[in-house]
Amino acid sequence: MNAIAGSNAVKIRARGVTKRFAVRRRADVIAVDGVDLDVEENELLAIVGPSGCGKSTFLYMVGGFLEVSEGEILVDGRRVTGPGTDRGIVFQHFALFPWLTVRENILYGLRERKVAEAEREATTAELIALIGLRGFEDVYPKQLSGGMKQRVAIARTLAIDPEILLMDEPFGALDAQTRTVMQDELLRIWNQRKKTVLFVTHDVHEAVRLADRVVVMTARPGRIKAIIDAREAHAPDAANVRESPEIARKVNEIWEHLRDEVALAQRQEAVSSSGRGG
Amino acid sequence: MARLGVEAFRYAPLVLLVIAWELAVRYGVISPNFLPEFSAVAGTLWALTLSLELPENLGISMYRQAAGFSLAVVIGVALGIGMARVRAVELAFRPLVTLWYPVPVVALFPVLVLILKLGDQLQITVILLGSILPVILSAYNAARGVDHYLAWSALSMGTSPERLLWKIVLPAALPGILSGIRVTLALSFVLLVASEQLGALGGIGAFTLSAGENGFYTGMFAGILTIGLVGFVADRLYLALIRRLLSWRDEE
Amino acid sequence: MAANALSDRTTRQRETPSWLAYRAVYSVVLVLLAWEIASRTALINPFFMPAPSLLVVQAVKLTLQGELLPHMGATLLRALGAILLAIAIGVSLGIAMARIAAVRWFFDPLISLGLPTPKIALWPIFVLWFGFHDQSKIYLTTFACAFPLVSATYLATRDVDRYLLWSARALGTGERRMLWKVIFRAAVPDILTGIQTIIPFAFILIVLTEMLSGGIGLGSMIMLAGRLADIPTVLVGVIGASILGFAVIRLGEYLRARVLVWHEETTDHA
Ligand SMILES: Nc1ncnc2c1ncn2[C@@H]1O[C@H](COP(=O)(O)OP(=O)(O)OP(=O)(O)O)[C@@H](O)[C@H]1O
Ligand SMILES: [Mg+2]
């Protein structure tokens, strides 16, 4: 397995990471099973895998929200013991604070870190412009569409400028156009500020287009099935625009790995839901 | 103008009822010993207001209600959230809450009189003990139901676990807490009036009861109207407050 | 799906309270034990907080002297009477309000005005009208309980109504039968919830009016014992009232389960 490789400094190192959930009166759910993975500094790494295979769970462990059952996760060589501002996260379901306006949501982290007022106002204004929500600053999340909420969630995380960005299907709720714009924005920010990005997606094309490497996970219990280098598919000169015939080939390659796992996950789903009904 | 008309139409039944009351008594359908004329009640209400007898008793009652209710809210919210967040607090208070739950607190009045003697402290205690449970339960349930992703978000943006309570748990639990407090508000008025009827030094409940016992029926009705009005206004003010505080809430 | 994780989480949450309730039995025993010891060692004033064992003795004594059960019976009967009367009035008025515009017009402002006001304040009026005996107690309690019940029934039935009219028009036939079925399918759970919430309230009001008027009943027994500073009897009365209330609440839960099971079965055939 070529999960442990690369010449650059390792930013995130996972060794034998396993997560078991205790479920009452049923066997434990093994969500993640013995994952070894090195994410290099400034790498953009995508994780794809069938639904329920443990992608979010893995991300939460890197974020320090869940404890690993076995193994360890190191960030900059230090063991992860809890959440920290070095790792920003965009949750699958946004988790915006409903009692704060768009502006206050984005300001939240800056205020918590006691950033000077002038600076935090400037950052916030800039981010609101970036996500195209000018005019919505003083609106509460309930008045936003799913895609708008997602953009606020991304801006809120970018505001604290973390070294590592953990993103759980960050563009899942966006329409096709906004999605492309936000993808390019992510690339731009990544190029500009040099961040290590770990993001989960269901969109294989998006994974190939954005990521340096794509991790394919198996159906539950989630293991690493393959790691595909996508860099060779990117046009060498253009950092921001990544379209080439190579991409389609990579997408196919990943789908070959993924197909069986998705079918397996669907069977699991059917079994567990019929088991629950009976 | 049109809106005014709609409102007038809406509340017309109240006016009709009052007119029917007045006419029924005036034309002898109902004996005035049974139900004094509305106009007589209104006159007494006015006279009692001018003589300050009603305002003074109302003031005494409102002080008791405000004190008992505020104590119930503050202690209840603290206890409910404490039980939801701290296992030791939950283990310590859960059995007390379980035991307390079915007890009709007003029935403890005779014991409380012996312990506390007559005075404001008696009514305040009855209100506190009798109306705290809805606050505790709603705060407990609301604080337990806080979406953990909100807490995780805050932690990853630099909020310390200690500050999580103020920054996340309290605002996220606010809708649930506030709806529990509305029940407590209504309950606090019931307990106020009941405990004043059972025994009190002054207060609108005691005033109304003794007016009835002395055959001062217009005074009795005037007092009852006052109590009803105060309870109604308090509820409406509270609703307006909730609406302001929770304008961010997403009601599907 | 993510729904998977969610549903797993909800099943776990639903199981937590029952675990706590199970624990609670032990902790309640613990509290009683602590109370017993504290009272026996005069850590808390044994005059105001007599030990639970003394309360048991007192309860047995009162029962043998025939001084507990008649009171409990009177309170229970009054409360049940008031609850049944409130159900009859509240549910039919609520349905009438939902279905007949004139009724809605007349009662809507009265209900919304009366709902948040403390009905116990009307006690002197009810005494004036109905005297000191059963009637005033039962009627006041009925009156007070009717408000939330009308409101619950009205809301439950009104929301059914749109759907009812809509589907009745679409199908054309069997309107009356469907009215019955649809109303029962959709409104009954909410109406039952309304009934369940008035049960404890009814007990409190009956005990309270008994305390205010003397005669037979737990409330009167409590008040009389209080005047004689006979605290064990007061507490036995309070506990008796709690047990009665608790039993009827449980009965309500049981009946609800029965009614809703029956109702699920009938809808399955449809
Ligand atoms: N708290 C929990 N308790 C029990 N099981 C859990 C818990 N959280 C997650 N799981 C289970 O672990 C498995 C992995 O969940 P996870 O949310 O990580 O999947 P995912 O790959 O992110 O799926 P999706 O693509 O649908 O978001 C699922 O089967 C889920 O049911
Ligand atoms: Mg997920």
Side-chain angles (χ1 to χ4, degrees), chain A residues 60 65-66 83-85 87-89 91 94-99 105 108-109 112-113 140 142 149 156 160, chain B residues 147 149-160 163-164 167-169 171-172 246-251:
Chain A
Y60 298 160
F65 308 115
L66 292 178
T85 48
R87 285 151 291 146
I89 185 159
F91 287 108
F94 328 132
L96 296 180
F97 303 131
W99 58 90
N105 261 288
Y108 182 90
E112 288 298 281
R113 303 180 71 189
Y140 287 109
K142 69 168 176 181
K149 283 183 194 158
R156 185 176 68 168
I160 56 169
Chain B
D147 182 1
Y149 289 107
L150 295 180
W152 287 4
S153 288
L155 287 172
S156 78
M157 287 189 283
T159 304
S160 66
R163 273 164 56 80
L164 217 51
K167 301 296 288 186
I168 305 300
V169 175
L246 300 184
S247 59
W248 50 268
R249 188 170 43 160
D250 195 1
E251 293 149 303

Side-chain angles (χ1 to χ4, degrees), chain A residues 56 92 168-169:
Chain A
S56 300
Q92 195 169 353
D168 199 348
E169 302 184 31

Side-chain angles (χ1 to χ4, degrees), chain B residues 119-231:
Chain B
D120 291 342
Q121 69 283 353
L122 179 59
Q123 268 69 36
I124 292 172
T125 307
V126 172
I127 294 172
L128 168 65
L129 294 180
S131 69
I132 196 171
L133 215 58
V135 187
I136 296 180
L137 292 178
S138 62
Y140 174 78
N141 287 326
R144 276 180 68 95
V146 171
D147 182 1
H148 65 274
Y149 289 107
L150 295 180
W152 287 4
S153 288
L155 287 172
S156 78
M157 287 189 283
T159 304
S160 66
E162 299 78 53
R163 273 164 56 80
L164 217 51
L165 177 66
W166 295 107
K167 301 296 288 186
I168 305 300
V169 175
L170 219 52
L174 198 63
I177 294 175
L178 289 180
S179 67
I181 289 178
R182 189 176 175 206
V183 176
T184 284
L185 181 65
L187 210 53
S188 72
F189 275 102
V190 175
L191 290 159
L192 168 76
V193 174
S195 68
E196 287 184 348
Q197 288 172 338
L198 285 169
L201 300 175
I204 190 90
F207 168 83
T208 309
L209 194 71
S210 75
E213 280 164 358
N214 297 325
F216 177 29
Y217 293 131
T218 52
M220 177 181 100
F221 274 90
I224 290 168
L225 281 183
T226 311
I227 296 171
L229 209 66
V230 169

Side-chain angles (χ1 to χ4, degrees), chain C residues 208-219:
Chain C
L208 187 57
T209 51
E210 286 171 353
M211 291 171 79
L212 287 167
S213 60
I216 194 172
L218 280 176

Side-chain angles (χ1 to χ4, degrees), chain C residues 42-57:
Chain C
L43 213 67
I44 54 175
N45 190 332
F47 177 72
F48 293 124
M49 296 277 278
S53 59
L54 291 180
L55 296 184
V56 173
V57 171

Side-chain angles (χ1 to χ4, degrees), chain B residues 144-146 148, chain C residues 8-18:
Chain B
R144 276 180 68 95
V146 171
H148 65 274
Chain C
D8 281 346
R9 233 165 259 136
T10 36
T11 25
R12 287 207 316 169
Q13 267 181 4
R14 220 183 311 126
E15 280 165 10
T16 322
S18 79

